[in-house]
Amino acid sequence: MNLYDTLPDAAPTVFGAEAVGSFAYDVLTVDVPVGSWIPALEIARDKLGCTYFDWLSAVDEPGTGFVICAHVVALEGRRVRRLLLRTTVAHAAPSLPSAVAVYAGAEWHERETFEMFGVTFTDHPHLVPLLLPENFEGHPLRKDFVLAARVAKAWPGAKEPGEAHDPDAPKRRQMLPPGVPDPNDWGPLKGQLPPAPARPARTPRAAAAREGAPARRTRSVSEGSASQASPPGEAGPDTPAVRPARRTRSVSEGSASQASPPGEAGPDTPAAGQAPAPGAAAPTAKPPAKSDAPWHDPKPAFDEPAPPKPAAGDPAPEPDERPDTTSPTTPDHNDGGDA
């Protein structure tokens, strides 16, 4: 059995008594003390076959320290085995031996970690900044690094909709993201800003009650909305405000858009919405308007056109005097009869 397959249970046996093995994010992880950092890298390279160095970085854990992580890989044929070695250094004196002697590819990774977190790697051949300008101060990936641009320029989420024109409008409690201090404690406006006023939570109902406005009246489903109330002249004081039922039209009546045009109506036909004149005959029921839809008036697609009718004065066509060969009285000359 390969020694790699015995991990993480055999981590104390392989890496030392203080090593702790586990699976973190589906990756085999071994935590070792600072004194066992270089020996643990050598064991991973020589005994576990992790000859490929992938990356090295750090994580700032407030109250714990900087967790230095090195990811190495063992390539055996088509099988890839990954191992993550970790150790923790204190915030007060972040220092760790360099891994360049074990993995040469760790040189640039340690320079970046030194620049972003401030961790010093002893015995490093060229520990200088890698990405930031020469005059840059601080370590940007630390949790306590002050983001000066956030203090000099207002945070995009500092104002809610409507607050730009109304400074007295209520607002939610604002929370600063990590690394953004109070502008009154740090920056060009230090000590010049008044303290933020403590405003209680304000809701529309609470504001209306505080200002003396009447409470909003609610309506049940049976009462309907205010727009469905009957006109004042038609409803009595005790009549509930109920909207009349909507008039429906049958299929034979058609829709309102199929009504006859004003020019086609007769003189005795009353206009829409107008009562018939007294003494006039009751209007007859009008047949339903014909729809223009093609399926209401189907026509055969392959009808043969009718022969044209002869015009007046044209000679009548001569009858066809040819014998009818299909008639049973026509003699058949090929039936072998008498000539």
Side-chain angles (χ1 to χ4, degrees), residues 86-308:
R86 300 188 304 190
T87 189
T88 305
V89 296
H91 281 107
S95 178
L96 191 68
S98 176
V100 176
V102 184
Y103 292 102
E107 181 179 357
W108 283 16
H109 296 261
E110 290 181 349
R111 288 175 58 185
E112 181 185 11
T113 306
F114 164 73
E115 187 177 31
M116 297 295 176
F117 294 92
V119 179
T120 303
F121 293 91
T122 58
D123 301 330
H124 191 280
H126 190 58
L127 196 62
V128 295
L130 180 65
L131 302 175
L132 300 177
E134 297 180 359
N135 299 329
F136 190 88
E137 297 181 1
H139 307 285
L141 293 187
R142 284 191 175 188
K143 297 292 179 63
D144 57 355
F145 181 77
V146 176
L147 301 177
R150 301 280 178 84
V151 181
K153 184 179 180 181
W155 176 249
K159 292 185 178 181
E160 298 294 332
E163 295 180 13
H165 305 287
D166 187 4
D168 298 330
K171 62 181 66 176
R172 298 181 301 177
R173 180 184 177 185
Q174 299 174 358
M175 299 181 62
L176 295 175
V180 181
D182 189 353
N184 202 25
D185 298 337
W186 189 93
L189 302 179
K190 180 179 180 180
Q192 303 177 15
L193 301 177
R199 292 176 176 153
R202 182 179 181 184
T203 60
R205 292 184 182 274
R210 184 164 51 251
E211 297 174 1
R216 183 180 179 183
R217 178 176 176 268
T218 58
R219 304 176 67 92
S220 63
V221 178
S222 60
E223 294 176 353
S225 62
S227 61
Q228 295 176 346
S230 304
E234 299 180 5
D238 301 332
T239 305
V242 180
R243 189 176 182 179
R246 182 181 179 184
R247 178 176 177 269
T248 58
R249 301 176 67 93
S250 64
V251 178
S252 60
E253 294 176 353
S255 63
S257 61
Q258 294 176 347
S260 346
E264 297 181 5
D268 300 332
T269 304
Q274 182 180 359
T284 58
K286 184 179 180 180
K290 185 176 181 181
S291 173
D292 296 334
W295 51 84
H296 290 170
D297 189 14
K299 297 180 181 179
F302 301 99
D303 241 1
E304 295 183 0

Side-chain angles (χ1 to χ4, degrees), residues 5-139:
D5 298 332
T6 62
L7 298 175
D9 298 334
T13 306
V14 178
F15 294 97
E18 298 182 4
V20 179
S22 62
F23 275 101
Y25 303 101
D26 294 334
V27 178
L28 179 61
T29 306
V30 178
D31 293 277
V32 297
V34 175
S36 304
W37 177 246
I38 298 300
L41 293 174
E42 294 176 347
I43 292 173
R45 182 193 63 182
D46 301 335
K47 295 184 178 181
L48 300 181
C50 299
T51 57
Y52 180 81
F53 177 83
D54 193 9
W55 54 265
L56 182 144
S57 187
V59 179
D60 186 2
E61 296 288 351
T64 303
F66 298 103
V67 181
I68 312 299
C69 309
H71 186 256
V72 293
V73 183
L75 303 174
E76 298 179 359
R78 296 185 178 180
R79 186 174 183 182
V80 178
R81 299 175 176 179
R82 301 185 296 163
L83 175 64
L84 184 66
L85 292 175
R86 300 188 304 190
T87 189
T88 305
V89 296
H91 281 107
S95 178
L96 191 68
S98 176
V100 176
V102 184
Y103 292 102
E107 181 179 357
W108 283 16
H109 296 261
E110 290 181 349
R111 288 175 58 185
E112 181 185 11
T113 306
F114 164 73
E115 187 177 31
M116 297 295 176
F117 294 92
V119 179
T120 303
F121 293 91
T122 58
D123 301 330
H124 191 280
H126 190 58
L127 196 62
V128 295
L130 180 65
L131 302 175
L132 300 177
E134 297 180 359
N135 299 329
F136 190 88
E137 297 181 1
H139 307 285

